[in-house]
Amino acid sequence: MKSLVVANWKMNPGTRREAKQLFAATKKAADSSPHVSVVVAPPSIFLRELKSAYSGKKIAFAAQDGRAEPTGAHTGEVSLAQSKDAGAQYAVIGHAERRAAGESDEEIGKRVAAALALKLTPIVCVGESKRDQSGSHFDVVRMQLRAALLSVEPPQLARCIIAYEPVWSIGAERAMNPRDMHEMAIFIRKTTVDFKGEGGMHVKILYGGSIDDTNAADMLKNGDVHGFLVGRASEEARKLEALLRAIEDK
Ligand code: PGA
């Protein structure tokens, strides 16, 4: 099965010209990686132009977030429907940086439902801020999953992707240990089965947080994940090429 790499550019790069350059390099790296599917999540201001100029099939586009309402009095915001219209097929929802900016579990649940209704594939981000010996991270992930999947009908689960991103590993020096990811992947599947039935067994799981060419292969082999949500290693051409090569060589 192909691995999935979601390139979350966050609020980068700074100009349209650089965005086109980064996309060209991403396209080149993706084209020489037959075992990897690539989704690019650019800032929404670059989405339509990158998508319109791209005639290939290898790369799909994602919104980095989006409001559930299609239109309305929400100054400064972009709706999921607008991103869909601009060419997105996926939507990252509930990223830790959006949660930190005040997006609630309830709001995330609405956005997941809206994405599915628009036939966008939601990439639902969950993950605890801190981890200690008490095991409370499992409770946090369980609550986040419950809220995010609240309105998801069991048959829609096949169209959902869960991205587990422990907040302490995002933008950090080291990724999580693959054995711990494996344990979390089992927990996520079991919890999804508890909430939504057997379909939860097959939900696609990504890992995110400090993934690069040095740790990706080990995480794919031992972490029980389908791929990655990647920040920094997707924002520079050289790092993205190295990451895709590492996955390809696995
Ligand atoms: P990072 O970010 O790869 O730079 O740690 C991951 C993310 O926020 O999705």
Side-chain angles (χ1 to χ4, degrees), residues 21-246:
Q21 282 167 351
L22 178 57
F23 185 75
T26 302
K27 175 178 169 317
K28 191 158 163 256
D31 284 342
S32 42
S33 307
H35 301 98
V36 188
S37 300
V38 178
V39 174
V40 173
S44 61
I45 194 158
F46 300 135
L47 175 61
R48 184 183 301 276
E49 182 173 359
L50 294 177
K51 165 76 184 181
S52 313
Y54 179 60
S55 53
K57 291 214 157 47
K58 176 82 189 175
I59 296 177
F61 291 85
Q64 291 182 7
D65 194 8
R67 289 196 68 103
E69 307 83 353
T71 55
H74 300 291
T75 304
E77 303 266 0
V78 173
S79 73
L80 289 165
Q82 289 165 333
S83 288
K84 161 114 187 183
D85 181 62
Q89 291 153 269
Y90 292 75
V92 179
I93 297 180
H95 188 277
E97 287 153 13
R98 303 297 316 165
R99 291 179 187 267
E103 226 166 80
S104 67
D105 273 336
E106 189 193 352
E107 179 60 33
I108 289 162
K110 281 192 204 152
R111 294 180 185 204
V112 171
L116 286 165
L118 286 161
K119 304 233 170 334
L120 291 166
T121 300
I123 301 166
V124 183
C125 303
V126 296
E128 77 283 358
S129 312
K130 283 196 215 93
R131 192 175 265 229
D132 56 30
Q133 299 307 317
S134 72
S136 62
H137 50 280
F138 290 117
D139 301 331
V140 172
V141 170
R142 189 181 170 83
M143 273 170 50
Q144 290 176 339
L145 279 174
R146 191 211 307 267
L149 301 179
L150 195 65
S151 313
V152 175
E153 300 294 336
Q156 294 177 316
L157 268 186
R159 295 205 282 117
C160 295
I161 297 173
I162 309 287
Y164 173 67
E165 298 202 298
V167 180
W168 46 269
S169 77
I170 296 175
E173 274 174 25
R174 276 198 296 133
M176 189 168 74
N177 177 325
R179 275 194 312 275
D180 291 339
M181 181 62 234
H182 187 107
E183 185 186 35
M184 183 52 82
I186 293 170
F187 178 79
I188 288 172
R189 280 198 295 269
K190 183 182 164 303
T191 305
T192 309
V193 169
D194 285 352
F195 292 147
K196 300 285 159 183
E198 279 307 305
M201 270 318 283
H202 307 292
V203 71
K204 256 199 189 151
I205 300 175
L206 306 181
Y207 167 81
S210 301
I211 277 294
D212 60 24
D213 59 309
T214 66
N215 52 27
D218 189 18
M219 188 62 96
L220 272 181
K221 243 184 262 163
N222 300 310
D224 194 10
V225 293
H226 290 84
F228 306 112
L229 180 51
V230 183
R232 286 160 297 167
S234 75
E235 295 158 8
E236 267 179 56
R238 186 178 48 81
K239 291 189 186 165
L240 182 82
E241 280 156 23
L243 172 66
L244 295 192
R245 205 173 322 113

